[in-house]
Amino acid sequence: MTEEEEEGTKPNPLRRHRRLCVFLILLLLLTLFIICLILALTLFKPKDPDTRAGSLATDVLSGGVGFDINTRLPGRVNFLGIIKRQAVAVTECHIVVGFPRLKVQSQECKSRTKI
């Protein structure tokens, strides 16, 4: 028996209501955590299989880490002060950085302009 029942008084309904609210809040937080975990493991997984940590470790052990870099630079082009056009300069590079010296081992870039 509880102390309240031993004294002959009724249990406090506010205390029971407070416990129920705490239980419901904890249940809601647990549900949100599970939903976020499911989303992280299914929808937000990497699209490129080379982004895994195992691939990075293999690259480091082989002596070089490769990066793909894409740059897009929009702007306006003025021909002879008469013709004005929108243009976009796009550069795509593949760079390999050596490890552990952190020097660029190779660099291949392709540039193009869209008018």
Side-chain angles (χ1 to χ4, degrees):
M1 296 182 102
T2 64
E3 293 177 12
E4 294 173 349
E5 291 175 352
E6 289 176 359
E7 295 175 5
T9 60
K10 294 182 180 179
N12 190 353
L14 289 177
R15 183 175 287 175
R16 194 170 8 148
H17 179 69
R18 189 177 305 146
R19 286 181 187 161
L20 180 64
C21 287
V22 169
F23 174 75
L24 289 176
I25 289 171
L26 289 176
L27 183 65
L28 179 66
L29 289 174
L30 180 65
T31 305
L32 287 174
F33 175 75
I34 291 173
I35 289 172
C36 289
L37 183 65
I38 290 171
L39 287 174
L41 295 176
T42 56
L43 291 179
F44 302 128
K45 63 182 176 182
K47 294 178 182 177
D48 187 10
D50 291 338
T51 58
R52 294 173 291 158
S55 176
L56 180 62
T58 305
D59 289 345
V60 168
L61 292 175
S62 69
V65 179
F67 296 97
D68 290 320
I69 300 170
N70 298 323
T71 304
R72 183 179 178 272
L73 184 64
R76 284 190 100 166
V77 177
N78 194 357
F79 294 108
L80 302 173
I82 300 171
I83 303 170
K84 296 179 182 177
R85 300 281 303 209
Q86 297 289 331
V88 178
V90 179
T91 303
E92 298 173 351
C93 292
H94 179 75
I95 300 173
V96 177
V97 178
F99 190 81
R101 294 183 58 198
L102 299 179
K103 301 279 183 176
V104 176
Q105 289 181 344
S106 69
Q107 176 179 349
E108 299 173 18
C109 292
K110 296 178 185 175
S111 298
R112 67 179 187 271
T113 304
K114 298 178 185 178
I115 296 179

